């Protein structure tokens, strides 16, 4: 009498247990690589001049705010160190 934990004699799946010799991927030629790059760049949605200016201004404002915050913290720590160690 077989129990649930006994192994069944089932045929292996096709190709299971057999090691196929894997082929190494082909190297891409420089010309094909450039063609693929150009094809991908054609898919890119480029920003308009107005969007580019908006993004640039937003990035510059963010950087200026961060410079202000870091400078303020640095100045505060500097004054604290001078107050402690005089």
């Amino acid at each position: 009498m077989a129990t649930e934990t006994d192994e069944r004699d089932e045929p292996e799946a096709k190709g299971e247990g057999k090691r196929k010799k894997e082929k190494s991927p082909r190297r891409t030629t420089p010309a094909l690589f450039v063609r693929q790059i150009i094809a991908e760049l054609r898919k890119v949605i480029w920003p308009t001049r107005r969007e580019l200016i908006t993004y640039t201004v937003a990035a510059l404002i963010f950087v200026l705010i961060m410079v202000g915050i870091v400078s303020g913290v640095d100045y505060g720590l500097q004054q604290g160190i001078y107050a402690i160690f005089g």
Side-chain angles (χ1 to χ4, degrees):
M1 178 184 220
T3 63
E4 291 180 26
T5 57
D6 288 342
E7 290 184 21
R8 295 184 216 151
D9 291 331
E10 294 181 4
E12 291 183 355
K14 186 176 183 179
E16 187 178 320
K18 298 178 184 176
R19 292 289 258 196
K20 289 185 178 180
K21 194 172 188 180
E22 294 183 20
K23 294 181 180 179
S24 60
R26 286 184 150 172
R27 292 187 61 122
T28 303
T29 63
L32 177 60
F33 182 68
V34 170
R35 284 196 305 268
Q36 289 174 343
I37 290 173
I38 292 170
E40 288 299 319
L41 286 175
R42 286 189 180 128
K43 296 177 189 177
V44 173
I45 299 173
W46 296 97
T48 63
R49 178 177 290 276
R50 184 180 186 125
E51 290 172 334
L52 186 61
I53 291 170
T54 303
Y55 298 152
T56 302
V57 169
L60 289 175
I61 290 172
F62 175 77
V63 168
L64 289 175
I65 290 170
M66 292 308 296
V67 165
I69 291 171
V70 170
S71 297
V73 170
D74 183 50
Y75 181 75
L77 290 174
Q78 181 184 4
Q79 294 303 314
I81 296 295
Y82 284 153
I84 294 172
F85 297 110

